[in-house]
Amino acid sequence: MKQVSVNGSRINLFDQGSGHPILLVHGFPLDFQMWQYQLEPLSETGRVICPDLPGFGNSQAWSEPIHLRGLADFLAALLDELDVEQVTFCGLSMGGYIGWQFWQHHRQRLDRLIASNTRAAADTEAVSRARRVSAQSLRKDGTSILADEMPYKLFAESSIQNRADDVNLIRQVIRNSDAEILAQAQIAMSQRPDATNWLSEIDVPTLFVAGQHDSITTPEEISSNQKKVPDSRLVLLENAGHLAPLENPEAFNAAVNNFIQ
Ligand code: MLT
């Protein structure tokens, strides 16, 4: 791991390998460790850049509340800092929401896009309300409720049974997260724009990844989004829920390698 300074914040990142760069952007309420099975394998064939977003993991927070456009701008500034022109942007869920913003505002930095377990639609009013409640609870009670409950939503039932180390890792990551940052992220996601109408305009090769048992971003919703993006394909991963890269890393890495080559 190394540390770089981006816009005055100290950012923790994995940066290894050479050749075509892939930028791995974690979901909520996680950090770079959700990509643990991608880091070394993908860096054998290209450069892997995988940060903790500001305020997450071991990266310093900004002084202002986080928002998704700001996170896309932050990633562009990180690439400047690393002297990287263009990347394959690979975002999972919240990372994918940032990916749509990256495409909108930093198109010239984007070679390819991987949208893993993510949606394009904005929140419904009910989801948005639930996020506000979650933000309040995080601010009042900290991260432990989320750490206890969230793994059951993130992982497929079979992973809960068979991948105890991964489930424990994710539970630890959530427990150790900064509750105020998670609260801000909930509010930021509740305010994100609907990207559905952007899909037909996306003009870079795009890979959609879905997990067979993902109940947060279902394969049906991802498939419907994929059909709207002209140069795109969809890979459905078996034995995986919302954290497909962690739950079925062999299939995920093969799909990414196949797409990049
Ligand atoms: C994520 O994995 O990033 C979250 O499920 C995104 C969300 O809450 O919409």
Side-chain angles (χ1 to χ4, degrees):
M1 299 301 289
K2 70 181 193 189
Q3 317 264 309
V4 292
S5 171
V6 181
N7 301 336
S9 293
R10 183 186 34 75
I11 298 301
N12 185 50
L13 81 156
F14 177 93
D15 179 10
Q16 193 172 295
S18 58
H20 180 73
I22 180 166
L23 176 64
L24 302 176
V25 184
H26 65 78
F28 170 92
L30 306 172
D31 68 13
F32 90 101
Q33 295 179 86
M34 60 144 288
W35 300 108
Q36 63 168 337
Y37 299 127
Q38 281 66 54
L39 302 175
E40 298 288 339
L42 295 183
S43 65
E44 281 165 19
T45 49
R47 180 172 177 183
V48 175
I49 301 167
C50 183
D52 286 334
L53 291 169
F56 293 81
N58 286 320
S59 285
Q60 239 176 358
W62 298 330
S63 46
E64 60 183 277
I66 55 175
H67 52 101
L68 297 183
R69 164 75 196 274
L71 290 173
D73 295 347
F74 153 77
L75 289 169
L78 172 67
L79 297 183
D80 288 342
E81 186 63 34
L82 300 175
D83 248 330
V84 171
E85 197 66 39
Q86 274 204 326
V87 288
T88 291
F89 185 112
C90 175
L92 180 130
S93 202
M94 180 183 77
Y97 308 158
I98 300 167
W100 308 135
Q101 295 285 327
F102 196 82
W103 172 76
Q104 268 274 316
H105 301 288
H106 300 282
R107 164 69 187 84
Q108 74 286 0
R109 313 302 292 266
L110 197 56
D111 182 48
R112 283 159 195 268
L113 182 60
I114 302 175
S116 182
N117 304 79
T118 196
R119 59 166 55 92
D123 282 354
T124 60
E125 188 39 48
V127 171
S128 182
R129 199 175 322 114
R131 288 198 200 275
R132 291 195 293 275
V133 171
S134 164
Q136 268 176 357
S137 149
L138 280 160
R139 285 179 170 133
K140 185 162 156 289
D141 303 318
T143 56
S144 44
I145 299 174
L146 209 58
D148 289 342
E149 292 175 354
M150 196 82 182
Y152 297 103
K153 296 186 188 148
L154 294 173
F155 287 97
E157 181 61 38
S158 55
S159 304
I160 298 278
Q161 306 291 337
N162 304 325
R163 302 188 74 94
D165 288 352
D166 297 328
V167 175
N168 286 336
L169 169 77
I170 291 302
R171 192 165 271 132
Q172 259 330 98
V173 167
I174 300 175
R175 208 179 292 285
N176 294 339
S177 295
D178 180 328
E180 171 56 27
I181 292 293
L182 298 190
Q184 290 179 16
Q186 287 284 39
I187 301 299
M189 289 190 285
S190 77
Q191 294 169 347
R192 73 187 189 280
D194 191 332
T196 313
N197 287 337
W198 304 351
L199 296 174
S200 61
E201 293 168 28
I202 292 183
D203 55 351
V204 292
T206 302
L207 170 67
F208 285 82
V209 179
Q212 189 185 15
H213 305 294
D214 186 350
S215 57
I216 299 180
T217 45
T218 64
E220 293 73 24
E221 180 173 358
I222 293 176
S223 168
S224 142
N225 287 336
Q226 182 262 323
K227 290 191 179 87
K228 298 187 175 92
V229 178
D231 182 4
S232 70
R233 57 178 103 157
L234 169 68
V235 171
L236 177 66
L237 298 192
E238 292 179 348
N239 303 319
H242 191 57
L243 295 185
L246 191 64
E247 298 180 76
N248 192 341
E250 296 77 16
F252 183 88
N253 295 351
V256 168
N257 278 329
N258 202 6
F259 174 63
I260 291 177
Q261 273 132 45

Coordinates of all heavy atoms in Angstrom, one line a residue, residues 103-167:
W103 N -17.9 9.0 -16.2 CA -18.2 9.1 -17.6 C -18.7 10.4 -18.0 O -18.3 11.0 -19.0 CB -19.2 8.0 -18.0 CG -19.6 8.1 -19.4 CD1 -18.9 7.8 -20.5 CD2 -20.8 8.7 -19.9 NE1 -19.6 8.2 -21.7 CE2 -20.7 8.7 -21.3 CE3 -21.9 9.3 -19.3 CZ2 -21.8 9.2 -22.1 CZ3 -22.9 9.8 -20.0 CH2 -22.9 9.8 -21.4
Q104 N -19.6 11.0 -17.2 CA -20.2 12.3 -17.6 C -19.2 13.4 -17.6 O -19.2 14.3 -18.4 CB -21.2 12.7 -16.5 CG -22.6 12.2 -16.7 CD -23.4 13.3 -17.6 OE1 -23.3 14.5 -17.3 NE2 -24.1 12.8 -18.6
H105 N -18.3 13.4 -16.6 CA -17.4 14.6 -16.3 C -16.0 14.4 -16.7 O -15.2 15.4 -16.7 CB -17.6 15.0 -14.9 CG -19.0 15.4 -14.5 ND1 -19.6 16.5 -15.0 CD2 -19.9 14.7 -13.8 CE1 -20.9 16.5 -14.5 NE2 -21.1 15.4 -13.8
H106 N -15.6 13.1 -16.9 CA -14.1 12.9 -17.2 C -14.0 11.9 -18.3 O -13.2 11.0 -18.3 CB -13.4 12.4 -15.9 CG -13.5 13.4 -14.8 ND1 -12.7 14.5 -14.7 CD2 -14.3 13.5 -13.7 CE1 -13.0 15.2 -13.7 NE2 -14.0 14.6 -13.0
R107 N -14.9 12.0 -19.3 CA -14.9 11.0 -20.4 C -13.6 10.8 -21.0 O -13.2 9.6 -21.4 CB -15.9 11.6 -21.5 CG -15.9 10.9 -22.8 CD -16.4 9.5 -22.8 NE -16.1 8.8 -24.0 CZ -15.0 8.2 -24.4 NH1 -13.9 8.3 -23.6 NH2 -14.9 7.6 -25.5
Q108 N -12.7 11.8 -21.1 CA -11.4 11.7 -21.8 C -10.5 10.8 -21.0 O -9.5 10.3 -21.6 CB -10.8 13.0 -22.1 CG -10.2 13.8 -20.9 CD -11.3 14.4 -20.0 OE1 -12.5 14.3 -20.2 NE2 -10.8 15.1 -18.9
R109 N -10.8 10.5 -19.7 CA -9.9 9.7 -18.9 C -10.3 8.2 -19.0 O -9.7 7.3 -18.4 CB -9.9 10.1 -17.4 CG -9.8 11.5 -17.1 CD -8.5 12.1 -17.7 NE -7.3 11.6 -17.0 CZ -6.7 12.3 -16.0 NH1 -7.2 13.3 -15.5 NH2 -5.6 11.8 -15.5
L110 N -11.4 7.9 -19.7 CA -12.1 6.6 -19.6 C -11.8 5.8 -20.9 O -12.2 6.3 -22.0 CB -13.6 6.9 -19.5 CG -14.4 5.7 -19.0 CD1 -13.9 5.2 -17.7 CD2 -15.9 6.2 -18.8
D111 N -11.2 4.7 -20.7 CA -10.9 3.8 -21.9 C -12.1 2.8 -22.0 O -12.6 2.5 -23.1 CB -9.6 3.1 -21.7 CG -9.2 2.2 -22.9 OD1 -9.3 2.7 -24.0 OD2 -8.9 1.1 -22.6
R112 N -12.4 2.2 -20.9 CA -13.5 1.2 -20.8 C -14.1 1.3 -19.4 O -13.5 1.9 -18.5 CB -12.9 -0.2 -20.8 CG -12.5 -0.7 -22.2 CD -11.5 -1.8 -22.2 NE -11.0 -1.9 -23.5 CZ -11.5 -2.7 -24.4 NH1 -12.5 -3.5 -24.2 NH2 -10.9 -2.8 -25.6
L113 N -15.3 0.8 -19.3 CA -16.1 0.9 -18.1 C -16.5 -0.5 -17.6 O -17.0 -1.3 -18.5 CB -17.3 1.8 -18.3 CG -18.2 2.1 -17.2 CD1 -17.4 2.8 -16.0 CD2 -19.3 3.0 -17.7
I114 N -16.4 -0.8 -16.4 CA -16.9 -2.1 -15.8 C -17.9 -1.6 -14.7 O -17.5 -1.0 -13.7 CB -15.8 -3.0 -15.3 CG1 -14.8 -3.3 -16.4 CG2 -16.5 -4.3 -14.7 CD1 -13.6 -4.2 -15.9
A115 N -19.1 -2.0 -14.9 CA -20.2 -1.6 -13.9 C -20.6 -2.9 -13.2 O -21.4 -3.7 -13.8 CB -21.4 -1.0 -14.7
S116 N -20.1 -3.1 -12.0 CA -20.3 -4.4 -11.3 C -21.4 -4.2 -10.2 O -21.3 -3.2 -9.4 CB -19.0 -4.8 -10.7 OG -19.2 -6.1 -10.0
N117 N -22.4 -5.0 -10.3 CA -23.5 -5.0 -9.2 C -23.9 -3.6 -8.9 O -23.9 -3.2 -7.7 CB -22.9 -5.7 -8.0 CG -22.4 -7.1 -8.3 OD1 -21.3 -7.2 -8.8 ND2 -23.2 -8.1 -8.0
T118 N -24.3 -2.9 -9.9 CA -24.7 -1.5 -9.7 C -25.9 -1.2 -10.5 O -26.3 -1.9 -11.4 CB -23.5 -0.5 -10.1 OG1 -23.8 0.8 -9.5 CG2 -23.3 -0.4 -11.6
R119 N -26.6 -0.1 -10.1 CA -27.8 0.3 -10.8 C -27.6 1.7 -11.4 O -26.7 2.5 -11.1 CB -29.0 0.3 -9.9 CG -28.9 1.2 -8.7 CD -30.3 1.3 -8.1 NE -30.9 0.1 -7.8 CZ -30.8 -0.6 -6.6 NH1 -30.1 0.0 -5.6 NH2 -31.3 -1.7 -6.4
A120 N -28.5 2.0 -12.4 CA -28.4 3.4 -13.0 C -29.5 4.3 -12.5 O -29.4 5.5 -12.4 CB -28.6 3.2 -14.5
A121 N -30.7 3.7 -12.1 CA -31.8 4.5 -11.6 C -31.5 5.2 -10.3 O -30.6 4.7 -9.5 CB -33.0 3.6 -11.4
A122 N -32.1 6.3 -10.0 CA -32.0 7.0 -8.8 C -32.8 6.2 -7.7 O -33.5 5.3 -8.0 CB -32.5 8.4 -8.9
D123 N -32.7 6.6 -6.5 CA -33.5 6.0 -5.4 C -35.0 6.3 -5.5 O -35.3 7.4 -5.9 CB -33.0 6.6 -4.0 CG -31.7 6.0 -3.6 OD1 -31.2 5.0 -4.2 OD2 -31.2 6.4 -2.5
T124 N -35.8 5.4 -5.2 CA -37.2 5.7 -5.0 C -37.3 6.5 -3.7 O -36.4 6.5 -2.9 CB -38.0 4.4 -4.8 OG1 -37.5 3.7 -3.6 CG2 -37.9 3.4 -6.0
E125 N -38.5 7.1 -3.5 CA -38.7 7.9 -2.3 C -38.5 7.0 -1.0 O -37.9 7.5 0.0 CB -40.1 8.6 -2.3 CG -40.3 9.6 -1.2 CD -39.1 10.5 -0.8 OE1 -38.5 11.0 -1.7 OE2 -38.9 10.6 0.4
A126 N -39.0 5.8 -1.1 CA -38.9 4.9 0.1 C -37.4 4.6 0.4 O -37.0 4.6 1.6 CB -39.7 3.6 -0.2
V127 N -36.6 4.3 -0.6 CA -35.2 4.0 -0.4 C -34.5 5.2 0.2 O -33.7 5.2 1.1 CB -34.5 3.5 -1.7 CG1 -33.0 3.4 -1.5 CG2 -35.1 2.2 -2.1
S128 N -34.8 6.4 -0.4 CA -34.2 7.6 0.0 C -34.5 7.9 1.5 O -33.6 8.3 2.3 CB -34.8 8.7 -0.9 OG -34.2 9.9 -0.6
R129 N -35.8 7.6 1.9 CA -36.2 7.8 3.3 C -35.4 6.8 4.2 O -34.9 7.2 5.2 CB -37.7 7.6 3.4 CG -38.2 8.2 4.7 CD -39.8 8.1 4.8 NE -40.5 8.3 3.5 CZ -41.2 7.3 2.9 NH1 -41.3 6.1 3.4 NH2 -41.8 7.6 1.8
A130 N -35.3 5.6 3.7 CA -34.5 4.6 4.5 C -33.1 5.0 4.7 O -32.5 4.8 5.7 CB -34.6 3.2 3.8
R131 N -32.5 5.7 3.7 CA -31.1 6.1 3.8 C -31.0 7.2 4.9 O -30.0 7.3 5.6 CB -30.6 6.6 2.5 CG -30.4 5.5 1.4 CD -29.5 6.1 0.4 NE -29.5 5.4 -0.9 CZ -28.8 4.3 -1.1 NH1 -28.0 3.8 -0.2 NH2 -28.8 3.7 -2.3
R132 N -32.0 8.1 4.9 CA -31.9 9.2 5.9 C -32.0 8.6 7.3 O -31.3 9.1 8.2 CB -33.0 10.2 5.6 CG -32.8 11.0 4.3 CD -33.7 12.3 4.2 NE -35.1 12.0 4.1 CZ -35.7 11.7 2.9 NH1 -35.0 11.8 1.8 NH2 -37.0 11.5 2.9
V133 N -32.9 7.6 7.5 CA -33.0 6.9 8.8 C -31.7 6.3 9.1 O -31.2 6.4 10.3 CB -34.1 5.9 8.7 CG1 -34.2 5.0 10.0 CG2 -35.5 6.6 8.5
S134 N -31.1 5.6 8.1 CA -29.8 4.9 8.4 C -28.7 5.9 8.8 O -27.9 5.7 9.7 CB -29.4 4.1 7.1 OG -28.0 3.8 7.1
A135 N -28.7 7.1 8.1 CA -27.7 8.1 8.4 C -27.9 8.6 9.8 O -26.9 8.8 10.6 CB -27.8 9.3 7.4
Q136 N -29.1 8.8 10.3 CA -29.4 9.2 11.7 C -28.9 8.2 12.6 O -28.3 8.5 13.6 CB -30.9 9.3 11.9 CG -31.4 10.7 11.6 CD -33.0 10.8 11.7 OE1 -33.6 9.8 12.0 NE2 -33.5 11.9 11.5
S137 N -29.2 6.9 12.3 CA -28.8 5.8 13.2 C -27.2 5.7 13.3 O -26.7 5.5 14.4 CB -29.4 4.5 12.7 OG -28.6 3.4 13.0
L138 N -26.6 5.9 12.1 CA -25.1 5.9 12.1 C -24.6 7.0 13.0 O -23.6 6.8 13.8 CB -24.6 6.0 10.7 CG -24.6 4.8 9.8 CD1 -24.6 5.1 8.4 CD2 -23.4 3.9 10.2
R139 N -25.2 8.2 12.9 CA -24.7 9.3 13.7 C -24.9 9.1 15.2 O -24.2 9.5 16.0 CB -25.3 10.6 13.2 CG -24.7 11.0 11.9 CD -25.3 12.3 11.3 NE -24.5 12.7 10.1 CZ -25.0 13.1 9.0 NH1 -26.3 13.1 8.7 NH2 -24.1 13.5 8.0
K140 N -26.0 8.4 15.5 CA -26.4 8.3 16.9 C -25.7 7.1 17.5 O -25.1 7.1 18.6 CB -27.9 8.1 17.0 CG -28.5 8.0 18.3 CD -30.0 8.3 18.3 CE -30.7 7.7 19.5 NZ -30.8 6.3 19.4
D141 N -25.7 5.9 16.8 CA -25.3 4.7 17.4 C -24.0 4.1 16.9 O -23.6 3.0 17.3 CB -26.4 3.6 17.2 CG -27.7 4.1 17.8 OD1 -27.7 4.6 18.9 OD2 -28.8 3.8 17.2
G142 N -23.4 4.7 15.8 CA -22.2 4.2 15.3 C -22.5 3.1 14.2 O -23.6 2.9 13.7
T143 N -21.4 2.3 14.0 CA -21.5 1.4 12.8 C -21.9 0.0 13.1 O -22.1 -0.8 12.3 CB -20.1 1.3 12.2 OG1 -19.2 0.9 13.2 CG2 -19.6 2.6 11.6
S144 N -22.1 -0.3 14.4 CA -22.3 -1.7 14.8 C -23.6 -2.3 14.2 O -23.5 -3.5 13.8 CB -22.1 -2.0 16.3 OG -22.8 -1.0 17.0
I145 N -24.6 -1.6 14.1 CA -25.9 -2.2 13.6 C -25.7 -2.6 12.1 O -26.0 -3.7 11.7 CB -27.1 -1.2 13.7 CG1 -27.3 -0.9 15.2 CG2 -28.3 -1.8 13.1 CD1 -28.4 0.2 15.5
L146 N -25.1 -1.6 11.4 CA -24.8 -1.9 10.0 C -23.8 -3.1 9.8 O -24.0 -4.0 9.0 CB -24.2 -0.6 9.3 CG -24.4 -0.4 7.9 CD1 -25.9 -0.3 7.5 CD2 -23.7 0.9 7.4
A147 N -22.8 -3.2 10.7 CA -21.9 -4.3 10.6 C -22.5 -5.6 10.9 O -22.2 -6.6 10.3 CB -20.7 -4.0 11.6
D148 N -23.5 -5.6 11.8 CA -24.2 -6.9 12.1 C -25.2 -7.2 10.9 O -25.2 -8.4 10.6 CB -25.1 -6.7 13.4 CG -24.2 -6.6 14.6 OD1 -23.0 -7.0 14.5 OD2 -24.6 -6.1 15.6
E149 N -25.9 -6.3 10.4 CA -27.0 -6.6 9.4 C -26.5 -6.7 8.0 O -27.0 -7.5 7.2 CB -28.1 -5.5 9.5 CG -28.8 -5.6 10.9 CD -29.8 -4.5 11.0 OE1 -29.8 -3.6 10.1 OE2 -30.5 -4.5 12.0
M150 N -25.6 -5.8 7.6 CA -25.3 -5.6 6.2 C -24.8 -6.9 5.5 O -25.1 -7.1 4.3 CB -24.3 -4.4 6.0 CG -24.2 -3.9 4.6 SD -25.6 -2.7 4.3 CE -25.1 -2.4 2.6
P151 N -23.9 -7.7 6.1 CA -23.4 -8.8 5.4 C -24.5 -9.8 4.9 O -24.3 -10.4 3.8 CB -22.5 -9.6 6.5 CG -22.1 -8.4 7.4 CD -23.2 -7.5 7.4
Y152 N -25.6 -9.8 5.5 CA -26.7 -10.7 5.1 C -27.3 -10.2 3.8 O -27.9 -10.9 3.0 CB -27.8 -10.9 6.2 CG -27.2 -11.6 7.4 CD1 -26.9 -10.8 8.5 CD2 -27.0 -12.9 7.3 CE1 -26.4 -11.4 9.6 CE2 -26.4 -13.5 8.4 CZ -26.1 -12.8 9.6 OH -25.5 -13.4 10.6
K153 N -27.2 -8.9 3.5 CA -27.7 -8.3 2.3 C -26.6 -8.4 1.2 O -26.9 -8.5 0.0 CB -28.1 -6.8 2.5 CG -29.2 -6.7 3.4 CD -29.7 -5.2 3.5 CE -30.7 -5.0 4.6 NZ -30.6 -3.7 5.2
L154 N -25.4 -8.2 1.6 CA -24.3 -8.1 0.7 C -23.9 -9.5 0.0 O -23.6 -9.6 -1.1 CB -23.0 -7.5 1.3 CG -23.1 -6.1 1.7 CD1 -21.8 -5.7 2.5 CD2 -23.3 -5.1 0.5
F155 N -23.9 -10.5 0.9 CA -23.5 -11.8 0.4 C -24.6 -12.8 0.1 O -25.7 -12.7 0.7 CB -22.7 -12.5 1.5 CG -21.3 -12.0 1.8 CD1 -21.1 -11.0 2.8 CD2 -20.2 -12.4 1.0 CE1 -19.8 -10.5 3.0 CE2 -19.0 -11.8 1.2 CZ -18.8 -10.9 2.2
A156 N -24.4 -13.7 -0.9 CA -25.3 -14.7 -1.2 C -25.4 -15.7 0.0 O -24.4 -15.8 0.8 CB -24.9 -15.5 -2.4
E157 N -26.5 -16.3 0.2 CA -26.6 -17.3 1.3 C -25.5 -18.3 1.3 O -24.9 -18.6 2.4 CB -28.0 -18.0 1.1 CG -28.4 -19.0 2.2 CD -28.5 -18.5 3.6 OE1 -29.0 -17.3 3.7 OE2 -28.1 -19.2 4.5
S158 N -25.1 -18.8 0.2 CA -24.1 -19.8 0.1 C -22.7 -19.2 0.5 O -21.9 -19.9 1.1 CB -23.9 -20.4 -1.3 OG -23.7 -19.3 -2.2
S159 N -22.5 -17.9 0.3 CA -21.2 -17.3 0.8 C -21.2 -17.2 2.3 O -20.2 -17.3 2.9 CB -21.0 -15.9 0.1 OG -21.1 -16.0 -1.3
I160 N -22.4 -16.8 2.8 CA -22.5 -16.7 4.3 C -22.1 -18.1 4.9 O -21.4 -18.1 5.9 CB -23.9 -16.4 4.7 CG1 -24.4 -15.0 4.2 CG2 -24.1 -16.5 6.3 CD1 -23.9 -13.8 5.0
Q161 N -22.5 -19.2 4.3 CA -22.2 -20.5 4.8 C -20.7 -20.9 4.5 O -20.1 -21.4 5.4 CB -23.0 -21.6 4.1 CG -24.5 -21.4 4.1 CD -25.1 -21.6 5.5 OE1 -24.5 -22.2 6.3 NE2 -26.3 -21.0 5.7
N162 N -20.2 -20.6 3.3 CA -19.0 -21.1 2.9 C -17.8 -20.2 2.9 O -16.7 -20.6 2.6 CB -19.1 -21.7 1.5 CG -20.2 -22.7 1.4 OD1 -20.4 -23.5 2.4 ND2 -20.9 -22.8 0.3
R163 N -18.0 -18.9 3.1 CA -16.9 -17.9 3.0 C -16.8 -17.1 4.2 O -16.8 -15.9 4.2 CB -17.1 -17.1 1.7 CG -17.2 -17.9 0.4 CD -17.2 -16.9 -0.8 NE -15.9 -16.4 -1.1 CZ -15.0 -16.9 -2.0 NH1 -15.3 -18.0 -2.6 NH2 -13.8 -16.4 -2.2
A164 N -16.7 -17.8 5.3 CA -16.7 -17.1 6.7 C -15.6 -16.1 6.8 O -15.9 -15.0 7.3 CB -16.6 -18.2 7.8
D165 N -14.4 -16.3 6.2 CA -13.4 -15.3 6.4 C -13.7 -14.0 5.6 O -13.4 -12.9 6.1 CB -12.0 -15.9 5.8 CG -11.5 -17.0 6.7 OD1 -12.0 -17.2 7.8 OD2 -10.5 -17.7 6.3
D166 N -14.3 -14.2 4.5 CA -14.7 -13.0 3.7 C -15.8 -12.2 4.4 O -15.8 -11.0 4.5 CB -15.1 -13.4 2.3 CG -14.0 -14.0 1.5 OD1 -12.8 -13.7 1.7 OD2 -14.3 -14.9 0.7
V167 N -16.8 -13.0 4.9 CA -17.9 -12.3 5.7 C -17.3 -11.6 6.9 O -17.7 -10.4 7.2 CB -18.9 -13.4 6.1 CG1 -20.0 -12.7 6.9 CG2 -19.5 -14.0 4.8

